[in-house]
Amino acid sequence: MPLPEGETDESWFRHQVLEGMKKRYGDPIPKEPLDRAEYEMSVIIQQGFPAYFLIVQEYLDWARSQGIGVGPGRGSAAGSIVAYAMGITDLEPLSNGLLFERFLSPERVEMPDIDCDFEDERRQEVIEHIREVYGADHVTGVITFGKLQAKNAVRDAARVLDYPYSVGDKICKMIGDELGITIQKALDTNPDLKKAYDTEEDVKAVVDAAQSIEGHVRGEGVHACATIICRDPMADHVPVKRDTKGGGIITQYDGHYTPDLGLLKMDFLGLRTLGVLSRACRNVEMTTGRKIIPEEIPTDDEAAFALMRSGNMDGLFQVEGGLYVSLFARLPPKRFSDIVASIALNRPGPLESGMVDDYVKVASGKTPVHYYDERLRPVLEETYGTMVYQEQIMQVSMVMSGFSAGKADKLRKAMGKKKLDIMRMLQEDWNNGAVENGYSLEIAKKIWDDAEKFAKYAFNKSHSAAYSILVMRTAYLKAHYPNEYMAAVLSSYMGNTDRLIRYISSCNHNGTPVLPPDINSSNAEFTPVENGIRFGLVGVRGVGRNVADEIIEEREKNGPFTSLHDFVNRVDAKCYNRKTLEALIKGGAFDSTGYTRKQLMYFIEETPLLEGAAKRQKDRDRGQVSMFDLFADDADSGFQEDVPAPDGVEWPKRQLLTYEKEIMKIYVSDHPLTPYENYISRITKWQLGDLAERTKEIKSAVFVGMVSNVVTKLTKRGTKMATFDLEDTTGHVECICFKYEENAEAIQEDAIVKIKGKFEHSDRGNQIMVFETETLELSEEDAKPRQLRLSVPMSDFDQSKSMRLNRILKSYPGRDGVVLFVKQSDGHKFRAELPVTVDAESPIMRSELTDLFGYNVLTA
């Protein structure tokens, strides 16, 4: 990167940091952040890394100047005030208790690691910019070598030895899904596999062959995000090659070796959420005129916290899904630090160890808070006396035992990786330092034992805090601009049917209805409108980006389309065909013109509408002008086309929905099962869209949904089996039934069925192994909505509680009615149906109602 004339890396680095400090903190710069910045700069200069920071700053500034979404930072770099001043991170480290030494220290000389997030669809633009700045031969990707893991080795061995697929599959199931498991470990820990190996000749042959190739390189790839920038041509330092799958030059040494050679490896990560934020902000500007800058969104917005407390978190970064809904029900977020702690805690280790349960008990006041010693309160107060973060272990050692920051980081690493020799060496310093500083030896030993226990699960606070910023940005936009935000989320999943079904279902249940496409209000992608979100034109089968752009350009230039006839006369016939129009009609894109879809299809199929439009198009192309064209703008000309009036006759609802799914792959205006959701919830507690998140809970269960895509075939034994999709309003799952003859009556296209089966999640995807099926005959009675019934004594029902009750109910929108029974002193009950609908099953709402009155007010 060229420097200003007369500047060195060091001088320009200092200049950029100090200018950035003035922008962040004001001029003059306050003493505490300035002292911290001076200290950090001295370490960075001493270790020879100023150029590294300048390079990162340059391409981040360039990306922002191009409107490319840039993340707030990730990993330990968020603890650096220098990175904050230079705009590399967005999180102020002092007020958030982040440590520079978790990133760099005078006692740890190693290459800094600043990973950068960019919106996924534009990440490649940043890499191309770097190639232009430094030269294509100075910038390369990094090769990766894929090695044969246990299950792949078994499948390859079984195939080469010509055994049936079932043999390899049986062995793989016994190996299990533990990450990084080896064949030998599986033999040592799984008695079933060991028995099969000892007694079955085919299993022994396959396992022996698989062990001989396990761990060998199977193929090459390109690292998903690693990029190396070199001051010299890369070939001067490492062997390089062209990526065999196209693209640029890559190293022939993988990422484990390139840093050891002194090469600068940077990770450019694509993050979908940043693209969603960019889209959402554009949507807000389009609908309201307000320009929102993601970096300026506050991290203490009460509406964002209320949204997360409500459980309405689909589409939010990091915290969507059942695990966080459950955690926030137990630990409602009220401040930014609560989100930081939740991201650190809600991981398999802390959850399985009971650490989360202990934390919730203290945070909720059920267990008293203790800080070991009041002098440690500032370090542990935000996490209620629990050591949740790696930085807290470092801070305790510094405050209590007088460790330097570098020595504290050494302890953090040793505890996290169970390096017993280093721990033994440091434990004596820990105890001696604590006693010298006036702490009792018993307290020092107690904290050491707890720190050792927590270190295995403690998380990098810098990373958790940086990602919590994205949580707050997404929650802020969804809380204040739900249509604009969820339109952006849906647009990011164009083409991903499973995700679209899930998010459309969530939108419809949370007061943000997703509406069919419309030629007069839909843009190419999902479009926020006043009463919901319009399906994007590109999402309609047969309508590509060019067609959508042509439609949008014509309506913006000459006004909305008044009819199908108006549309075909105005839009260039060369950009669409008959199937395009049929798809738009079946998807509901012409509903706003006042004509039914059935009548519109009649115009296409039974009248010369398209032929006439095509002829007029050809005449215009040849320069011929018809009498109609001459007088088109004259209302009294008498040459206006005769457009029939709407007749109001529509297809049956089920046929209309079937056509919608045919051309958009999902139901949009409604779902055949929507009226029966409450009835279905009484039969099964499982929603098909959530199964993948809850695999450990499901051994054998009942599932309900609608059957589609039925395929029957013969097994090797000559019996009939079937595969089919089971779909509900939240998603779909593939089902396999080996007893087709016994279940043939239920396994029919569009049948609504109850299934008893086992849900499996494997490397082949998600599926339900079907044991039994039963057809459900649903009636109008089954479509009645549920009611949330509340019973409250008159003496407890004052104006304040009435207002709070109203706020709670409005925070959990859904389809269920609310009936309030107020018990009077004479024993009579006053019954009122409240003008609000809620999600009656929301555990967080139920908890808030109980907290409001101090006892359970819910009645059956």
Side-chain angles (χ1 to χ4, degrees):
M1 179 182 66
L3 297 173
E5 188 175 348
E7 297 282 1
T8 64
D9 285 344
E10 291 181 14
S11 65
W12 187 242
F13 167 67
R14 286 188 60 84
H15 171 80
Q16 292 295 87
V17 172
L18 293 174
E19 287 302 306
M21 293 290 288
K22 291 174 186 176
K23 290 178 184 176
R24 296 287 198 183
Y25 295 98
D27 189 7
I29 306 165
K31 185 176 187 305
E32 185 182 8
L34 181 60
D35 288 348
R36 167 88 170 252
E38 290 288 357
Y39 161 68
E40 289 189 17
M41 284 191 287
S42 67
V43 173
I44 292 166
I45 291 170
Q46 174 195 333
Q47 297 188 359
F49 299 137
Y52 177 45
F53 282 79
L54 291 170
I55 290 170
V56 176
Q57 181 191 41
E58 189 280 328
Y59 63 67
L60 289 178
D61 285 348
W62 178 87
R64 293 188 184 101
S65 73
Q66 301 302 304
I68 299 173
V70 176
R74 62 153 61 212
S76 56
S80 168
I81 205 167
V82 163
Y84 176 65
M86 297 179 75
I88 293 170
T89 61
D90 289 344
L91 189 67
E92 203 287 315
L94 290 176
S95 59
N96 285 282
L98 306 181
L99 298 179
F100 173 67
E101 289 77 12
R102 178 65 182 81
F103 173 56
L104 280 178
S105 77
E107 299 160 44
R108 190 180 81 192
V109 182
E110 59 186 50
M111 188 69 74
D113 186 16
I114 303 178
D115 298 339
C116 299
D117 292 313
F118 301 94
E119 58 178 283
D120 54 349
E121 294 176 357
R122 303 189 66 185
R123 167 183 168 272
Q124 192 59 36
E125 293 178 41
V126 182
I127 295 174
E128 291 304 323
H129 165 72
I130 290 170
R131 288 189 177 129
E132 289 175 12
V133 171
Y134 299 101
D137 58 341
H138 293 245
V139 181
T140 69
V142 178
I143 200 169
T144 59
F145 297 109
K147 296 182 178 180
L148 279 166
Q149 303 299 316
K151 294 205 287 190
N152 283 335
V154 165
R155 293 192 194 282
D156 282 0
R159 185 178 66 253
V160 171
L161 294 175
D162 206 25
Y163 282 103
Y165 176 83
S166 59
V167 174
D169 190 52
K170 178 177 74 173
I171 298 170
C172 287
K173 285 181 177 177
M174 288 189 282
I175 289 174
D177 296 322
E178 181 186 332
L179 191 65
I181 192 170
T182 64
I183 296 173
Q184 188 57 54
K185 183 178 178 182
L187 284 168
D188 294 339
T189 57
N190 188 333
D192 293 336
L193 178 60
K194 185 67 170 70
K195 181 180 178 182
Y197 177 79
D198 291 336
T199 59
E200 299 178 32
E201 186 177 335
D202 54 355
V203 172
K204 186 177 190 313
V206 169
V207 168
D208 286 345
Q211 282 188 293
S212 71
I213 60 174
E214 183 182 15
H216 286 217
V217 172
R218 190 186 197 193
E220 68 175 51
V222 181
H223 195 285
C225 51
T227 300
I228 293 180
I229 304 172
C230 186
R231 67 187 175 198
D232 310 311
M234 192 68 67
D236 291 355
H237 297 275
V238 293
V240 295
K241 65 182 292 264
R242 187 165 292 281
D243 177 9
T244 54
K245 296 177 183 176
I249 302 297
I250 58 175
T251 65
Q252 292 194 60
Y253 291 164
D254 70 12
H256 293 97
Y257 296 101
T258 47
D260 295 340
L261 297 173
L263 294 171
L264 179 63
K265 181 179 78 69
M266 298 182 174
D267 283 342
F268 296 81
L269 298 104
L271 195 60
R272 179 190 300 273
T273 297
L274 296 174
V276 169
L277 286 171
S278 295
R279 275 193 183 94
C281 291
R282 290 196 296 269
N283 287 344
V284 171
E285 188 170 10
M286 177 184 71
T287 58
T288 70
R290 182 185 175 192
K291 188 173 182 64
I292 293 181
I293 309 298
E295 289 80 6
E296 296 175 2
I297 291 175
T299 58
D300 59 353
D301 183 69
E302 175 52 33
F305 292 128
L307 177 84
M308 288 184 273
R309 291 196 294 268
S310 76
N312 179 16
M313 298 185 293
D314 283 330
L316 300 191
F317 179 70
Q318 200 83 15
V319 297
E320 64 177 350
L323 280 176
Y324 276 100
V325 171
S326 173
L327 180 62
F328 285 169
R330 301 161 64 199
L331 192 67
K334 298 175 183 175
R335 55 186 183 174
F336 180 69
S337 59
D338 291 338
I339 306 298
V340 181
S342 296
I343 289 177
L345 287 167
N346 212 28
R347 297 174 294 118
L351 286 168
E352 292 167 9
S353 70
M355 180 180 176
V356 175
D357 294 330
D358 294 341
Y359 183 89
V360 169
K361 287 176 186 175
V362 177
S364 60
K366 294 175 183 176
T367 301
V369 182
H370 68 90
Y371 302 110
Y372 304 102
D373 185 291
E374 274 300 307
R375 287 171 287 181
L376 297 178
R377 178 190 283 266
V379 175
L380 301 173
E381 189 168 22
E382 70 171 303
T383 53
Y384 308 99
T386 304
M387 282 177 275
V388 172
Y389 309 117
Q390 296 167 351
E391 287 88 339
Q392 287 176 309
I393 295 174
M394 294 171 64
Q395 287 171 315
V396 167
S397 70
M398 293 160 68
V399 171
M400 182 181 73
S401 301
F403 279 25
S404 68
K407 189 174 182 180
D409 187 56
K410 187 177 181 182
L411 172 67
R412 185 266 310 171
K413 277 187 174 179
M415 279 190 165
K417 297 182 179 180
K418 291 295 177 187
K419 294 184 176 179
L420 298 179
D421 53 337
I422 300 176
M423 287 170 61
R424 277 193 293 268
M425 181 179 68
L426 293 173
Q427 187 173 8
E428 187 175 349
D429 293 345
W430 169 288
N431 291 336
N432 292 339
V435 171
E436 287 174 12
N437 287 322
Y439 293 81
S440 72
L441 183 60
E442 290 74 23
I443 285 290
K445 288 181 176 180
K446 168 63 177 167
I447 299 176
W448 176 275
D449 291 341
D450 287 349
E452 191 175 355
K453 179 176 69 176
F454 289 135
K456 184 164 61 170
Y457 307 119
F459 198 63
N460 179 349
K461 185 183 181 183
S462 299
H463 184 75
S464 186
Y467 266 21
S468 294
I469 290 180
L470 287 180
V471 174
M472 292 303 299
R473 288 176 184 173
T474 56
Y476 175 90
L477 286 168
K478 184 172 181 180
H480 293 278
Y481 305 97
N483 294 5
E484 289 82 358
Y485 180 74
M486 289 309 297
V489 171
L490 290 165
S491 295
S492 76
Y493 286 106
M494 278 279 203
N496 186 330
T497 303
D498 289 348
R499 284 286 188 166
L500 285 182
I501 291 173
R502 172 181 172 176
Y503 288 122
I504 287 175
S505 173
S506 173
C507 287
N508 290 334
H509 281 86
N510 288 296
T512 310
V514 177
L515 310 168
D518 183 77
I519 53 166
N520 286 323
S521 58
S522 287
N523 291 330
E525 298 177 338
F526 285 86
T527 312
V529 292
E530 185 177 353
N531 57 336
I533 299 169
R534 281 283 174 199
F535 204 90
L537 293 174
V538 171
V540 179
R541 192 181 72 187
V543 180
R545 174 69 66 166
N546 291 339
V547 180
D549 290 344
E550 187 80 24
I551 292 171
I552 295 165
E553 183 181 354
E554 171 57 31
R555 79 169 184 236
E556 288 179 349
K557 183 178 178 183
N558 296 310
F561 301 101
T562 58
S563 65
L564 176 62
H565 298 68
D566 182 39
F567 180 91
V568 299
N569 281 322
R570 286 168 52 186
V571 177
D572 190 340
K574 293 192 292 292
C575 80
Y576 67 86
N577 56 32
R578 181 191 187 97
K579 288 189 177 299
T580 305
L581 284 181
E582 289 178 353
L584 286 167
I585 290 169
K586 290 179 177 179
F590 286 93
D591 289 359
S592 62
T593 64
Y595 291 85
T596 65
R597 301 179 196 183
K598 182 177 182 180
Q599 186 179 12
L600 291 165
M601 284 299 292
Y602 169 81
F603 293 150
I604 296 288
E605 295 171 346
E606 304 295 338
T607 72
L609 173 65
L610 295 185
E611 291 79 358
K615 183 178 184 304
R616 281 192 291 275
Q617 179 74 53
K618 287 179 182 177
D619 290 344
R620 282 195 287 265
D621 291 344
R622 289 197 298 264
Q624 298 178 10
V625 181
S626 69
M627 292 292 289
F628 175 79
D629 293 321
L630 282 172
F631 294 98
D633 294 326
D634 187 348
D636 300 318
S637 67
F639 288 97
Q640 295 177 16
E641 188 170 6
D642 182 22
V643 181
D647 62 13
V649 180
E650 184 58 284
W651 289 313
K653 181 72 171 287
R654 191 67 176 267
Q655 183 178 356
L656 187 139
L657 293 178
T658 299
Y659 281 142
E660 274 189 12
K661 187 176 182 184
E662 174 192 321
I663 61 97
M664 291 184 285
K665 297 185 181 178
I666 56 177
Y667 297 108
V668 179
S669 61
D670 202 352
H671 191 287
L673 295 182
T674 297
Y676 309 105
E677 284 183 316
N678 294 330
Y679 175 77
I680 290 170
S681 69
R682 295 197 291 269
I683 301 173
T684 175
K685 65 177 182 177
W686 305 109
Q687 291 185 316
L688 302 180
D690 297 334
L691 293 181
E693 296 179 5
R694 306 171 71 177
T695 54
K696 292 183 180 178
E697 300 178 48
I698 310 169
K699 304 300 180 187
S700 179
V702 171
F703 309 96
V704 175
M706 193 163 68
V707 174
S708 63
N709 301 324
V710 179
V711 177
T712 60
K713 50 190 172 184
L714 292 176
T715 67
K716 291 181 179 179
R717 297 179 181 177
T719 59
K720 247 187 176 183
M721 65 169 288
T723 62
F724 59 92
D725 287 339
L726 187 70
E727 176 179 342
D728 66 9
T729 59
T730 66
H732 65 91
V733 180
E734 181 187 12
C735 296
I736 300 175
C737 180
F738 287 102
K739 297 179 180 180
Y740 175 71
E741 298 290 356
E742 299 174 23
N743 296 281
E745 186 177 337
I747 303 176
Q748 300 293 329
E749 290 288 334
D750 296 332
I752 299 172
V753 298
K754 178 171 73 172
I755 286 176
K756 186 175 181 181
K758 179 184 179 184
F759 177 77
E760 293 184 348
H761 176 76
S762 67
D763 51 4
R764 289 174 294 167
N766 300 323
Q767 58 188 26
I768 294 174
M769 304 303 296
V770 178
F771 306 146
E772 300 172 14
T773 62
E774 176 187 338
T775 304
L776 291 178
E777 300 294 341
L778 302 178
S779 64
E780 289 187 12
E781 185 68 22
D782 299 322
K784 287 184 177 179
R786 285 177 300 190
Q787 288 183 333
L788 181 74
R789 298 160 69 88
L790 309 175
S791 183
V792 184
M794 177 67 82
S795 57
D796 285 357
F797 200 60
D798 56 25
Q799 185 177 4
S800 172
K801 287 188 177 178
S802 174
M803 293 174 65
R804 287 175 61 194
L805 173 63
N806 184 47
R807 283 198 298 271
I808 291 171
L809 295 176
K810 286 185 175 179
S811 298
Y812 302 89
R815 300 173 182 271
D816 308 318
V818 181
V819 178
L820 175 66
F821 295 93
V822 180
K823 294 182 288 186
Q824 299 175 344
S825 57
D826 60 5
H828 289 88
K829 286 186 178 180
F830 173 75
R831 181 184 185 276
E833 291 192 13
L834 303 184
V836 64
T837 55
V838 300
D839 175 10
E841 293 301 313
S842 168
I844 307 178
M845 179 187 68
R846 289 169 169 262
S847 174
E848 288 193 22
L849 291 172
T850 301
D851 290 343
L852 171 61
F853 292 100
Y855 50 85
N856 184 22
V857 297
L858 305 171
T859 63

